[in-house]
Amino acid sequence: MHLSCKSRGMSPAEGTPDAPAVDGDPGDGGVELAAVTAADLQADLAVLDRTLTSIEAVLDPAGKRAEIAELQEQAAAPDLWDDQENAQRVTSRLSRLQAEVDRIVALRNRLDDLGVLLELAMEEDDAATLTEAQKEYRTLSGDIEALEVRTLLSGEYDQREAVVTIRSEAGGVDAADFAAMLLRMYLRWAERHGYSTEVYDTSYAEEAGIKSATFTVREPFAYGMLSVEQGTHRLVRISPFDNQGRRQTSFAGVDVLPVTEETDHIDIPEQDIRVDVFRSSGPGGQSVNTTDSAVRITHLPTGLVVSCQNEKSQLQNKAAALRVLQSRLLERARAEKEAEMRELKGEGGNSWGSQMRSYVLHPYQMVKDLRTEFEVGNPDAVFDGDIDGFLDAGVRWRRQQGER
């Protein structure tokens, strides 16, 4: 299976052929592509079959089925819930493995069905059936590409859920507005995929937008996918807040952390934290809560500060804030370990860099990743959550960096 990807405006998985478009069906970027012949599509399906076979070799559905059988026996034990932590581990792992196997099997079945559909189109020389096969090919190749990217997520925490924090940086009110645009972008991305999200804390700016926001994406591998979004995002546009209509450049920062699990053993002694309570508030300072239910936790040894105000009770907000603090301490420990390894290897600096993506709305329209050079010409779609191309390119780029 190919693990590299040529970054460009349209970037299907390496090893997956460019998806043929149907006459009158615009491809990525609104460019109309010519229809292919049945023979061309047959050759493309052969390549797609090899790609899926390589993915199956990596993900090992047979091995997963064997583990599923063992977990099902454990789940059927009458005393399973006597140990709630173990029961949650067993049922969560069982559900995750079953979903992974079902996904692989479904793709294989779709590929087999597409082969039958194409044979039917060729035997009967049926243009309508060929058109249907071409459309299914485009969809299926994209779904297989997404699964191929999943095989590259082999980092220590890649399988975990994610905690994402967005902060407005330089640029005043435009930066606050940009941070709110990024928050909506990620929440829309999760919504498009059916992933569950929970917003822990939102600090609103006075005029427009947000100062910061923290939320979780409750989906396996969310951290592996979204970790490539970490860094500084840059927006160039005509400011809607400037009476003179001048062009404004503003910045927002994105941090992505893995959600902690019971096995992490991130202990936080009570004497190491200071807990402050305050009244939750919404945009413009409008009170949305009549009690001091919001919680701010300061980790005294490191100075890390976490707040949560979106839960209904003070206890719930404290528990949520502690989970985020644990994630940040886990990431801090991981970063320190990596720094030690780089020092031992004689490596310096961070290959990721800080500024990682530009969103340009004026004088032209383009969104470009500065590391992978992946770019698209439709910022509206990106801000509406269409960021899978950037995530896929980022994961492939990170894998390439790790292999050097």
Side-chain angles (χ1 to χ4, degrees), residues 81-193:
W81 288 97
D82 290 349
D83 183 345
Q84 291 198 5
E85 287 186 9
N86 180 63
Q88 290 176 350
R89 181 193 64 80
V90 169
T91 55
S92 176
R93 177 67 176 168
L94 177 59
S95 176
R96 181 180 301 179
L97 286 176
Q98 191 63 63
E100 290 180 10
V101 170
D102 289 346
R103 184 179 182 185
I104 298 169
V105 170
L107 288 174
R108 173 56 67 183
N109 289 339
R110 285 173 61 191
L111 185 59
D112 291 343
D113 291 344
L114 181 54
V116 173
L117 184 65
L118 179 58
E119 288 180 6
L120 181 63
M122 295 174 69
E123 289 175 1
E124 300 186 2
D125 194 21
D126 186 346
T129 303
L130 178 59
T131 296
E132 182 182 350
Q134 289 173 332
K135 289 182 177 179
E136 170 60 10
Y137 172 85
R138 289 172 62 81
T139 303
L140 180 58
S141 61
D143 292 342
I144 290 178
E145 176 187 356
L147 186 60
E148 182 185 19
V149 171
R150 176 68 63 88
T151 66
L152 306 182
L153 299 177
S154 56
E156 183 178 1
Y157 304 119
D158 280 352
Q159 296 187 30
R160 300 202 182 177
E161 299 171 352
V163 179
V164 183
T165 298
I166 301 169
R167 295 184 181 86
S168 63
E169 296 183 347
V173 64
D174 279 279
D177 189 50
F178 181 33
M181 294 165 66
L182 291 180
L183 174 61
R184 181 184 182 277
M185 180 182 79
Y186 291 122
L187 294 179
R188 282 287 293 130
W189 169 79
E191 182 183 342
R192 282 168 171 253
H193 290 281

Side-chain angles (χ1 to χ4, degrees), residues 35 41 48 51 57 72 115 123 127 129 137 154 173 216 246 268 295 305 323 348 352 364 367 374 403:
L41 187 54
L48 200 59
T51 301
Q72 286 175 333
E123 289 175 1
T129 303
Y137 172 85
S154 56
V173 64
T216 57
R246 291 174 294 190
I268 306 178
V295 172
V305 179
R323 286 196 296 270
W352 282 78
Y364 53 88
V367 181
F374 183 93
E403 291 175 347

Side-chain angles (χ1 to χ4, degrees), residues 17 21 52 61-62 74 76-77 97 106 140 163 175 206 214 221-222 232 235 267 283 288 297 334 344 365 397 402:
L52 184 55
Q74 296 179 37
L97 286 176
L140 180 58
V163 179
E206 292 182 4
T214 298
F221 290 95
T232 300
L235 174 67
D267 296 322
V288 295
I297 297 178
R334 184 200 63 79
L344 289 173
Q365 295 206 339
W397 177 86

Side-chain angles (χ1 to χ4, degrees), residues 52-87:
L52 184 55
T53 299
S54 298
I55 293 172
E56 290 168 334
V58 173
L59 297 182
D60 187 19
K64 285 182 169 58
R65 288 191 185 96
E67 186 176 353
I68 286 172
E70 294 178 3
L71 290 171
Q72 286 175 333
E73 289 185 8
Q74 296 179 37
D79 60 347
L80 173 68
W81 288 97
D82 290 349
D83 183 345
Q84 291 198 5
E85 287 186 9
N86 180 63

